[in-house]
Amino acid sequence: MRKLVYFVASTLDGFIAAPDGSFGFFPFSVDSDLARHIQAEYPETLPTAFRQALGFDTAPNRVFDTVVMGRGTYEPALQEGITSPYRHLRQYVFSRSMAPLDPEVEVVADDPAEFVRALKREDGKDVWLCGGGQLAGVLWREIDELVVKLNPLAAGDGIPLARRAFDPTLLTLRSAQPMADGVVLLHYTR
Ligand SMILES: NC(=O)c1ccc[n+]([C@@H]2O[C@H](COP(=O)([O-])OP(=O)(O)OC[C@H]3O[C@@H](n4cnc5c(N)ncnc54)[C@H](OP(=O)(O)O)[C@@H]3O)[C@@H](O)[C@H]2O)c1
């Protein structure tokens, strides 16, 4: 059975984007330790256009072959005219309001938890929960692993890592990998 892995960048105070949804305040650069690590270990989590610009768009998928995201996470790509942001993955966008815009991206209005449970029963690599906070809250109990790129900054306000009711959940830390740029890659299992 494959796993649902929430692989996400967060601030120290648990935000994955600014209140307006922007995320340019995360200090990510292509020649950083973190970028090199992602290229080597999780190349499929970089958007196709980004991979093409960096010249490694043929890198095979290592961990994931499928990505699920909420409409709020898909929309920034749409605003740039990109309707298929992760062409190298099977892509599902959860939305009850949006019509499909690209044959490579399936829009799903069904219950996300039920849909993800069916995906997990299929053969293949793991399923990447890209975000955002609302979908992560809905899928919280289905998340088997959490990989947090913990950035050395606090935002004060923004979109939370998982928007859900108070319900403390203890996870098991599998590894903590500090990067030269101050990011710590934290890997938890349920
Ligand atoms: N830091 C990171 O690594 C990272 C990663 C990903 C995203 N982000 C950021 O996160 C932000 C988006 O997060 P968000 O919390 O605002 O939105 P989101 O979780 O991406 O999407 C929310 C949308 O998902 C759909 N949805 C939610 N529950 C559903 C259900 N039960 N059934 C079907 N569809 C459902 C709804 O679409 P409808 O209203 O159409 O029904 C809802 O409006 C973006 O700004 C993005 O930049 C950051």
Side-chain angles (χ1 to χ4, degrees):
M1 183 128 149
R2 56 201 191 134
K3 299 183 290 276
L4 180 68
V5 182
Y6 188 20
F7 180 88
V8 67
S10 176
T11 66
L12 290 172
D13 45 355
F15 296 110
I16 62 166
D20 66 0
S22 60
F23 47 87
F25 65 91
F26 279 106
F28 185 77
S29 89
V30 289
D31 56 1
S32 64
D33 211 12
L34 176 65
R36 278 189 289 275
H37 183 81
I38 292 174
Q39 275 188 51
E41 302 295 331
Y42 299 93
E44 60 272 25
T45 63
L46 294 168
T48 306
F50 195 78
R51 287 158 52 105
Q52 283 166 345
L54 293 182
F56 74 104
D57 49 317
T58 54
N61 298 335
R62 287 178 53 87
V63 182
F64 307 114
D65 59 18
T66 303
V67 59
V68 296
M69 65 188 106
R71 176 174 59 83
T73 295
Y74 185 46
E75 268 176 350
L78 288 183
Q79 280 159 18
E80 289 179 31
I82 298 166
T83 54
S84 179
Y86 298 99
R87 304 190 65 162
H88 47 283
L89 297 172
R90 275 168 68 198
Q91 304 173 80
Y92 297 100
V93 173
F94 288 99
S95 170
R96 291 151 298 194
S97 68
M98 202 177 73
L101 295 167
D102 191 297
E104 292 176 350
V105 179
E106 191 174 322
V107 177
V108 181
D110 302 339
D111 173 42
E114 219 169 277
F115 189 85
V116 162
R117 280 196 290 273
L119 282 181
K120 285 195 211 178
R121 286 193 293 271
E122 294 175 2
D123 289 333
K125 295 185 189 297
D126 288 341
V127 178
W128 173 31
L129 169 57
C130 177
Q134 195 181 324
L135 184 65
V138 170
L139 286 174
W140 185 252
R141 288 172 188 276
E142 294 303 326
I143 296 173
D144 303 293
E145 296 188 8
L146 185 52
V147 181
V148 181
K149 293 166 271 179
L150 189 66
N151 280 253
L153 86 160
D157 194 7
I159 295 180
L161 185 126
R163 191 181 294 282
R164 59 193 198 96
F166 181 72
D167 172 26
T169 311
L170 207 53
L171 302 171
T172 303
L173 181 67
R174 293 296 176 199
S175 64
Q177 208 170 341
M179 307 274 151
D181 26 16
V183 174
V184 183
L185 200 66
L186 297 166
H187 193 153
Y188 297 92
T189 53
R190 189 170 281 278

